[in-house]
Amino acid sequence: MTVQLGAVTIDCADPRKLAEFWTEALGVEVVVDHGGEFLMLAPVSPDGVMIGLQRAEERQPGKNRLHLDLRTEHRAEEVKRLVGLGAEEIEEHKVPGIAWTVLADPEGNRFCVGTAEQ
């Protein structure tokens, strides 16, 4: 028997509100809505990973232990676009071969936008 990653779920206070950010950020749509308590966002490609948004009243103190890593060839432009959608830019990092920006979505969940560098 084998398992596959089917979805990554983000805990949040208001799944429908947070879906507004993530659908615009990723160009996806809500495909399942269980009364606003749990939403599933479609993957970009048929073999992609779904994103779940799940109501959770308590907030995680500090940095979340699991986060999304998004990739793009145009990091500065994408970071600017995501900030315009409501994300907050946290910090920049660079190591040989890759650079990334840490952001937080409107509920404070951190995620990264990275690009390969020569």
Side-chain angles (χ1 to χ4, degrees):
M1 181 189 306
T2 62
V3 296
Q4 296 177 329
L5 181 61
V8 174
T9 299
I10 300 170
D11 289 345
C12 55
D14 187 345
R16 287 182 176 152
K17 181 72 176 161
L18 195 56
E20 294 174 14
F21 172 79
W22 283 110
T23 56
E24 288 294 318
L26 298 175
V28 297
E29 62 185 40
V30 175
V31 292
V32 174
D33 182 342
H34 293 284
E37 296 296 311
F38 183 77
L39 281 70
M40 291 299 294
L41 308 181
V44 175
S45 65
D47 59 343
V49 175
M50 297 184 81
I51 294 187
L53 301 173
Q54 173 177 280
R55 184 177 309 278
E57 297 305 321
E58 65 282 345
R59 278 189 87 137
Q60 163 106 10
K63 182 180 181 292
N64 39 307
R65 301 284 303 251
L66 176 73
H67 65 270
L68 302 179
D69 284 328
L70 309 178
R71 64 178 180 245
T72 181
E73 293 181 14
H74 308 284
R75 185 169 54 95
E77 293 88 350
E78 282 300 316
V79 167
K80 183 177 179 180
R81 183 180 72 85
L82 293 165
V83 168
L85 292 173
E88 176 187 356
E89 188 172 342
I90 306 294
E91 58 194 22
E92 298 275 334
H93 295 275
K94 187 174 185 178
V95 296
I98 189 168
W100 68 96
T101 305
V102 179
L103 298 108
D105 73 15
E107 286 207 13
N109 298 298
R110 292 189 182 194
F111 65 99
C112 297
V113 176
T115 189
E117 295 198 340
Q118 309 295 318

